[in-house]
Amino acid sequence: MKDGTAGPLVEPQAVKSGGVMTRVVSGVIALPPVLAAIHFGAPFFTLFIVAGSLILWWEWCHLCGQSVRAPASLAGAGFVLAALFATAAGRPEAGLAFAAAGSVLAWVWAAATGREADRHRPLGDWGGSRWIALGILYIGIPALLLLWLRDEVGRLTVYWLFILVWATDTGAYVFGRAIGGPKLAPRISPKKTWAGLAGGMLCAAMIGGGFAAALKVEGWAALGAVSAGLAVIAQIGDLFESWIKRRFGVKDAGGIMPGHGGLLDRVDGLLAAVVVAALITMIDGDRVLVWL
């Protein structure tokens, strides 16, 4: 669906999301390298984020019906990499500037080259380069914020964030399947339930409180509450990616993680949560993220 219109939701023949055991095995295999990269930091974490961002970019282009070899797609990948390398070099403000500039240029390019095609599009529909513009921000900003959190704040905060999102996903999956009940957003993601959201929030709050208790610091209740709030943000991020997939009529963004789909399917909640976590850290980190 290269025109960005919604189509029937189909499951690619090469990508069949498996059962619970497949999800568990795939997650366990992915866990050690992620934790190791966070632990050792630069340059390992930088390379980890760069590699992950390139995979996400490839999946985003295919998801939105864009060729990864198209000039706009290649330029978008270049701006994402520039944002990451600037941040890794200690200039996160320059990284944000690269991401913003790339998005604006992609949008201008779409406006300049797509006027004729846009005349035939339904009102509110987007041309391909506009999805590239969105993708630069959607992937680039969370990725550079992860680098900033690890380099400037510390690995404990990044551990907390990753584990919080994993706990949210697991809690939502388990509670949603066990309890069922009213759907959270049936038109976007028919399997998500309010019970699943509550379960994800509960598990995230336990992770936040557990981190504070394990480190023997005050503020465990506040950190638990912030963690539960970030669980909601993570679920919103999950729903946003589900909306994108439904718009383009695909089930999974890719097939790199058996049982989960693509990498984008696995980190959609993290992409949203890291933005809010970084803002909290900038504004009130000394009181909320109490181990800083």
Side-chain angles (χ1 to χ4, degrees):
M1 297 266 176
K2 294 183 181 299
D3 61 354
T5 57
L9 192 64
V10 296
E11 182 173 357
Q13 294 299 314
V15 182
K16 297 287 187 180
S17 294
V20 176
M21 185 56 64
T22 303
R23 292 172 64 92
V24 171
V25 172
S26 179
V28 168
I29 292 174
L31 189 60
V34 174
L35 295 179
I38 296 172
H39 176 79
F40 291 109
F44 304 102
F45 190 65
T46 303
L47 294 174
F48 169 74
I49 293 297
V50 167
S53 297
L54 290 175
I55 294 172
L56 291 176
W57 185 255
W58 182 86
E59 292 180 347
W60 176 261
C61 290
H62 280 276
L63 177 61
C64 298
Q66 305 303 304
S67 169
V68 295
R69 292 177 291 182
S73 299
L74 293 174
F79 276 105
V80 170
L81 290 176
L84 296 181
F85 287 129
T87 303
R91 297 293 303 276
E93 68 283 356
L96 288 171
F98 276 121
S103 183
V104 169
L105 288 173
W107 193 274
V108 171
W109 174 264
T113 60
R115 289 195 184 97
E116 186 63 32
D118 287 345
R119 292 176 184 174
H120 305 288
R121 297 183 186 278
L123 183 63
D125 196 12
W126 283 10
S129 294
R130 289 183 172 88
W131 289 105
I132 295 298
L134 176 61
I136 294 171
L137 299 178
Y138 180 58
I139 295 170
I141 290 182
L144 71 85
L145 287 176
L146 278 172
L147 288 178
W148 175 77
L149 283 171
R150 176 60 184 87
D151 293 342
E152 299 297 327
V153 182
R155 65 188 176 200
L156 287 176
T157 297
V158 181
Y159 276 137
W160 163 71
L161 186 58
F162 270 75
I163 296 173
L164 179 155
V165 173
W166 289 334
T168 299
D169 290 343
T170 302
Y173 183 78
V174 172
F175 278 70
R177 286 176 64 92
I179 299 174
K183 303 299 183 181
L184 181 62
R187 296 185 62 182
I188 298 175
S189 185
K191 293 183 179 180
K192 293 189 182 302
T193 64
W194 286 99
L197 175 61
M201 293 175 65
L202 176 62
C203 291
M206 292 174 63
I207 291 297
F211 259 79
L215 294 166
K216 298 180 180 180
V217 293
E218 297 179 357
W220 63 269
L223 188 55
V226 169
S227 299
L230 284 176
V232 177
I233 299 300
Q235 287 292 285
I236 292 173
D238 195 323
L239 288 172
F240 175 73
E241 197 239 355
S242 294
W243 175 75
I244 296 292
K245 290 189 293 185
R246 184 163 291 275
R247 181 182 180 87
F248 286 95
V250 298
K251 185 180 186 301
D252 294 322
I256 195 171
M257 296 188 69
H260 297 278
L263 182 60
L264 187 59
D265 300 310
R266 192 67 187 91
V267 302
D268 46 13
L270 179 66
L271 295 179
V274 67
V275 176
V276 177
L279 289 174
I280 293 172
T281 303
M282 295 173 192
I283 296 170
D284 204 22
D286 289 337
R287 290 200 293 129
V288 179
L289 304 185
V290 290
W291 55 74
L292 299 181

